[in-house]
Amino acid sequence: MVTAKTTRVQTLIIGGGITGLATAYALKEHGQHDYLVLEAQDYLGGLCATTHRNGYYFDYSGHLLHLHSELGQTLIHKLLGSNLQSHKRRAHIYTQGLRVPYPFQTNVWALSPHLQEKIVAELTQPSPNATTPHTFAQWCIQSFGPTLYETFFQPYNEKLWGRSPAQLTCDWCGPFVPAPHRQEILTGARLQPTTPQGYNATFYYPKHGGCGALIEALAEQVSHRQTNAPVTRIDLTTKTAWVNDHPIRFEQLVSTIPLPQLVHLLDEHAKLKHMARQLEAQPVTVYHLAVDRKVEPFSWIYCPDPQQPFYRVGLTSSFAPDSVPNDHISLFYIELPGKVPPSADIEARIWSGMRQLGLVTDKDQKVFTAWQTIPCAYVIFNNQRAQVVPTLLRTLEEEHCFCAGRYGRWEYSFMEKSLTQAWELAQRLVKLV
Ligand SMILES: Cc1cc2nc3c(=O)[nH]c(=O)nc-3n(C[C@H](O)[C@H](O)[C@H](O)COP(=O)(O)OP(=O)(O)OC[C@H]3O[C@@H](n4cnc5c(N)ncnc54)[C@H](O)[C@@H]3O)c2cc1C
């Protein structure tokens, strides 16, 4: 529990996931040691934690490191040192019995001749005067043409987000959806591209210990932290947060918990609460499945078709060989949209989908399964988000409450960004003291 000694701190950090721990680490590196990290669970790491069970280990689905910025690379290398390995992405899309290399839009050569012709015809027509797209659907159609949209982007994204791309804005897709020039798509209709594309062509992963190895490395650097310490109420006027009924005074507050949850914890602020109620998230269920056969290695496969209840499947044992008890076992992470209660029926549907993809056979034995639910997995980019989030973040900052991380800032981001955002935030916070 929080002790009397910790009732007054300069910087109080809510959440002991990667963003909260990285903020504390960065504060310490900038010479500010008067901080405290509060984590509601009995373990650190949030969605970047790794679970060890019966000789297996697994992340919340696959948590792979995509490193792009110099700062992100420096921090990760400093934390993980020789426990970091790079991997070449081996990803494809499975649709209508075809395996199309990722990204779909530059591998039209792998589609049926009929689809190839339609796509090429659409993309060689003079483009109508470009207007600024407002929805993700408009952005896809403008970037790739209607047939690529209908064949992949629409079904895949509808499955993942649980709503039509016409109901999503397009301000998140910049770094995450490769948008090649039309000429590149046309070239890819004739020839398989030789250079890998997209933000995740190469990824990194700890050699040992899963993504949780990064959390352990960060936690070693952060001495002022408490687990089993849920923040239950916050008063920004008196700069007080409560862990159950224990008050903690702070000068600066850093929140890494989902933005609507933070606003819900605030005393007063009826207007902010009304705004936050308009924010929505898509949950994800993860099913980890091990079979007693070494399958051909791949990184992950996107599955837009309705026949498979999952939208993506990855092979943990391909990038984490010691995630399984021996070399003859394969461990998959299988991601399903929404909250899916475990049942024999859904397990049978998953198995049938995996068989269609050729990843399991009826001779294979299940040797391990585990379920995880992520209630707040993907921030929904609806119109309300674009209007509400900037106002919420600005108003909170005016009251010395700084939000960070994918859920704290209610955005689409990843682990490297948690580290760089935390670093930049710590630099701002030390200047404000
Ligand atoms: C399915 C999926 C796959 C992903 N794959 C990747 C990937 O491959 N690579 C990548 O870089 N990123 C990936 N991400 C994104 C990555 O998970 C996030 O960017 C990262 O976990 C954000 O960390 P965080 O610390 O900001 O939030 P979290 O991990 O959510 O941590 C927040 C912490 O706050 C705690 N908390 C909540 N409420 C309270 C409270 N009231 N009091 C105290 N503590 C509280 C929680 O218990 C949690 O530990 C993926 C995300 C999902 C959903």
Side-chain angles (χ1 to χ4, degrees):
M1 267 310 293
V2 175
T3 62
K5 264 171 87 180
T6 59
T7 49
R8 193 175 277 275
V9 283
Q10 175 66 31
T11 310
L12 186 64
I13 300 169
I14 313 180
I18 188 170
T19 313
L21 291 173
T23 306
Y25 167 57
L27 282 171
K28 190 194 86 169
E29 292 288 293
H30 287 87
Q32 216 254 72
H33 297 266
D34 190 8
Y35 66 83
L36 174 64
V37 179
L38 297 175
E39 167 53 50
Q41 301 294 330
D42 60 1
Y43 61 90
L44 292 168
L47 286 186
C48 300
T50 295
T51 304
H52 294 251
R53 197 178 296 164
N54 304 341
Y56 293 85
Y57 71 69
F58 49 91
D59 301 335
Y60 280 91
S61 82
H63 262 75
L64 316 172
L65 286 158
H66 308 296
L67 303 180
H68 303 289
S69 72
E70 213 179 303
L71 176 59
Q73 299 200 12
T74 307
L75 291 171
I76 294 274
H77 282 280
K78 208 165 157 189
L79 288 161
L80 284 174
S82 60
N83 190 17
L84 190 64
Q85 185 148 36
S86 78
H87 299 265
K88 281 209 169 73
R89 176 190 70 208
R90 280 178 285 192
H92 61 267
I93 296 95
Y94 177 88
T95 180
Q96 296 168 29
L98 295 174
R99 281 173 175 246
V100 181
Y102 175 88
F104 199 79
Q105 54 273 40
T106 53
N107 285 286
V108 171
W109 65 271
L111 301 177
S112 68
H114 168 68
L115 281 176
Q116 287 179 24
E117 262 174 47
K118 264 182 94 177
I119 292 164
V120 169
E122 285 165 10
L123 294 178
T124 42
Q125 274 170 19
S127 357
N129 283 345
T131 51
T132 309
H134 295 293
T135 68
F136 182 43
Q138 288 168 348
W139 182 85
C140 291
I141 294 169
Q142 213 172 84
S143 310
F144 313 123
T147 302
L148 271 172
Y149 173 66
E150 283 156 25
T151 319
F152 173 64
F153 291 95
Q154 182 179 23
Y156 178 74
N157 285 288
E158 231 165 80
K159 204 178 197 186
L160 165 64
W161 299 95
R163 62 209 72 211
S164 160
Q167 293 170 277
L168 300 172
T169 61
C170 52
D171 43 344
W172 58 275
C173 44
F176 300 103
V177 186
H181 193 271
R182 280 189 168 203
Q183 193 49 50
E184 274 181 83
I185 304 180
L186 291 170
T187 307
R190 286 183 288 110
L191 295 168
Q192 178 163 13
T194 46
T195 42
Q197 284 143 343
Y199 77 102
N200 53 16
T202 301
F203 64 89
Y204 294 81
Y205 196 75
K207 281 184 198 156
H208 306 291
C211 181
L214 175 58
I215 295 302
E216 279 170 31
L218 269 172
E220 263 179 40
Q221 304 290 329
V222 174
S223 25
H224 311 304
R225 53 183 161 85
Q226 302 268 345
T227 46
N228 291 314
V231 172
T232 46
R233 185 185 148 201
I234 301 164
D235 183 344
L236 290 178
T237 314
T238 60
K239 295 187 173 176
T240 313
W242 283 262
V243 171
N244 300 317
D245 52 7
H246 186 98
I248 303 169
R249 299 291 305 274
F250 56 83
E251 293 304 321
Q252 300 163 328
L253 187 67
V254 173
S255 169
T256 70
I257 67 176
L259 186 56
Q261 285 178 30
L262 167 75
V263 174
H264 178 72
L265 294 177
L266 298 179
D267 280 356
E268 313 271 327
H269 286 298
K271 199 170 152 210
L272 296 195
K273 282 177 205 265
H274 173 73
M275 286 177 157
R277 274 196 287 275
Q278 299 172 53
L279 301 178
E280 294 175 273
Q282 166 74 332
V284 163
T285 302
V286 190
Y287 178 64
H288 300 270
L289 165 70
V291 296
D292 62 343
R293 179 173 58 91
K294 189 158 180 157
V295 304
E296 201 172 310
F298 68 94
S299 311
W300 62 86
I301 304 171
Y302 299 92
C303 308
D305 297 351
Q307 291 84 341
Q308 294 94 37
F310 42 86
Y311 65 86
R312 188 166 59 179
V313 52
L315 184 61
T316 308
S317 45
S318 69
F319 50 80
D322 60 352
S323 61
V324 288
N326 67 58
D327 286 352
H328 307 293
I329 292 180
S330 301
L331 176 62
F332 302 99
Y333 64 88
I334 300 166
E335 297 171 276
L336 297 90
K339 281 187 192 163
V340 182
S343 70
D345 175 54
I346 188 68
E347 287 196 80
R349 288 181 52 215
I350 292 172
W351 186 266
S352 157
M354 294 287 282
R355 244 188 17 218
Q356 287 158 14
L357 266 69
L359 297 177
V360 298
T361 70
D362 283 338
K363 285 192 196 143
D364 294 338
Q365 293 289 323
K366 272 185 205 173
V367 289
F368 176 80
T369 61
W371 290 91
Q372 290 172 320
T373 309
I374 308 175
C376 176
Y378 288 93
V379 164
I380 301 286
F381 279 71
N382 53 17
N383 282 326
Q384 297 89 306
R385 181 204 166 275
Q387 286 153 18
V388 158
V389 170
T391 310
L392 284 174
L393 297 179
R394 197 183 50 248
T395 312
L396 290 165
E397 281 206 8
E398 281 163 10
E399 301 204 44
H400 306 272
C401 174
F402 302 84
C403 298
R406 170 168 165 136
Y407 305 106
R409 298 191 71 78
W410 209 247
E411 61 189 15
Y412 191 168
S413 79
F414 45 103
M415 293 186 283
E416 185 195 37
K417 198 163 166 197
S418 286
L419 294 178
T420 54
Q421 232 175 44
W423 194 264
E424 284 152 14
L425 175 59
Q427 283 175 330
R428 279 181 68 200
L429 294 179
V430 292
K431 281 193 195 138
L432 291 176
V433 175

